[in-house]
């Protein structure tokens, strides 16, 4: 069965510090991978998606970047965090090119930038 | 055109009552409409989904009603229980030309079921 792992679960970082959040998927090949952000009490904002290794598309301009060094690994990074980067970050995956449109989310990382 | 509207923003229901959450979309290219349930501090989990070729789908106490002509769909939770208290997101998706799916989420509804 497929599983998605996301870590860390919580993170407190000072303004100006770097960020690295990691997500891995098991049990499937060549998944579409996504990073979403959820502000407190708000909806889901798509940040990045990837259809393959090294292929990253950004949905909104921001202080963040994403990388996909391996087929089932997706990393969200920042060189210098801003206060506005605080939020709940969710990694997700879906099956590439199939008719199964289900989107599966990780357990999320609560990031607080102080 | 990519927006999915969702109402109400919050909902309080007595145990045993019916919870109803409504969503509306504009883009007729959407071809898949899932609902996600999210508990505090957790990622959203797929609850139930429907395609536009059917008007209703039921799974246990959860039912999606779909009105293609009105471009609206709704989630009904029958016999609501305190354990159903969560945030519910509707979504719409379509296949993009170069990759799998493009998902658009509603802003969410926070449901509280009182014991």
């Amino acid at each position: 069965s497929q599983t998605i792992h996301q870590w860390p679960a919580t993170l407190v970082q000072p303004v100006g510090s770097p960020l690295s959040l990691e997500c891995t998927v098991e049990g499937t090949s060549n998944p579409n991978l996504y990073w979403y952000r959820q502000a407190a009490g708000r909806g889901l904002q798509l940040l990045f998606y990837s259809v393959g290794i090294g292929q990253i598309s950004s949905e909104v301009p921001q202080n963040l970047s994403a990388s996909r060094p391996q087929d089932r690994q997706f990393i969200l990074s920042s060189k210098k965090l801003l206060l506005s980067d605080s939020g709940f970050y969710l990694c997700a995956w879906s099956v590439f090119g199939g008719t199964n449109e289900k989107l599966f989310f990780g357990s999320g990382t609560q990031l607080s930038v102080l | 055109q990519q927006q999915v509207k969702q109402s109400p923003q919050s909902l309080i229901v007595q145990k045993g009552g019916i919870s109803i959450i409504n969503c509306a979309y504009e883009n007729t290219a959407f071809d898949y409409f899932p609902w996600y349930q999210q508990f505090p501090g957790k990622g959203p989990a797929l609850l139930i989904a429907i395609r536009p070729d059917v008007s209703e789908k039921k799974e246990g106490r959860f039912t999606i009603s779909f009105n293609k002509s009105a471009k609206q769909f709704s989630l009904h939770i029958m016999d609501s229980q305190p354990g159903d208290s969560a945030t519910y997101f509707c979504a719409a998706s379509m296949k993009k030309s170069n990759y799998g799916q493009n998902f658009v989420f509603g802003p969410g509804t926070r449901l509280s079921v009182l014991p």
Side-chain angles (χ1 to χ4, degrees):
Chain A
S1 63
Q2 302 91 354
T3 57
I4 179 169
H5 301 281
Q6 187 180 345
W7 67 93
T10 59
L11 190 60
V12 180
Q13 293 284 93
V15 170
S17 65
L19 173 72
S20 181
L21 302 181
E22 189 164 343
C23 170
T24 59
V25 180
E26 296 178 357
T28 187
S29 299
N30 200 20
N32 291 334
L33 296 173
Y34 307 81
W35 279 111
Y36 284 86
R37 178 169 59 198
Q38 186 177 25
R42 302 289 296 277
L44 296 159
Q45 179 188 32
L46 179 63
L47 302 176
F48 301 95
Y49 65 86
S50 171
V51 300
I53 297 174
Q55 301 179 61
I56 309 295
S57 296
S58 174
E59 288 293 303
V60 293
Q62 57 215 324
N63 185 43
L64 303 168
S65 62
S67 62
R68 185 169 178 174
Q70 300 180 43
D71 181 44
R72 290 170 288 177
Q73 183 185 28
F74 207 23
I75 298 172
L76 183 69
S77 304
S78 174
K79 293 182 179 179
K80 290 185 178 181
L81 284 169
L82 305 173
L83 287 173
S84 58
D85 291 324
S86 293
F88 192 51
Y89 289 83
L90 290 156
C91 180
W93 72 276
S94 68
V95 176
F96 174 77
T99 58
N100 181 1
E101 300 99 332
K102 295 180 181 178
L103 190 63
F104 300 93
F105 287 90
S107 54
T109 296
Q110 184 64 55
L111 173 65
S112 299
V113 182
L114 306 177
Chain B
Q1 258 200 336
Q2 288 292 87
Q3 193 177 19
V4 174
K5 297 179 181 179
Q6 182 175 347
S7 63
Q9 185 176 3
S10 62
L11 180 62
I12 299 175
V13 175
Q14 292 287 339
K15 179 182 176 181
I18 302 174
S19 304
I20 302 175
I21 305 170
N22 300 298
C23 286
Y25 64 98
E26 290 294 324
N27 192 339
T28 56
F30 288 131
D31 57 7
Y32 183 70
F33 301 87
W35 285 88
Y36 285 82
Q37 179 188 56
Q38 184 182 30
F39 294 106
K42 303 295 183 182
L46 179 63
L47 185 63
I48 186 173
I50 196 169
R51 297 183 184 276
D53 53 348
V54 298
S55 60
E56 185 176 284
K57 184 173 182 180
K58 182 176 182 180
E59 290 184 1
R61 297 184 292 110
F62 300 90
T63 299
I64 300 177
S65 297
F66 189 85
N67 186 331
K68 188 175 181 178
S69 60
K71 292 184 284 188
Q72 296 175 347
F73 57 109
S74 60
L75 176 69
H76 296 237
I77 306 175
M78 311 300 289
D79 187 26
S80 298
Q81 299 296 313
D84 296 330
S85 297
T87 298
Y88 292 81
F89 293 95
C90 63
S93 75
M94 71 179 90
K95 284 187 180 292
K96 271 195 172 180
S97 59
N98 294 326
Y99 72 106
Q101 298 295 322
N102 174 38
F103 293 87
V104 179
F105 287 87
T109 296
R110 179 173 288 185
L111 171 65
S112 298
V113 181
L114 303 179

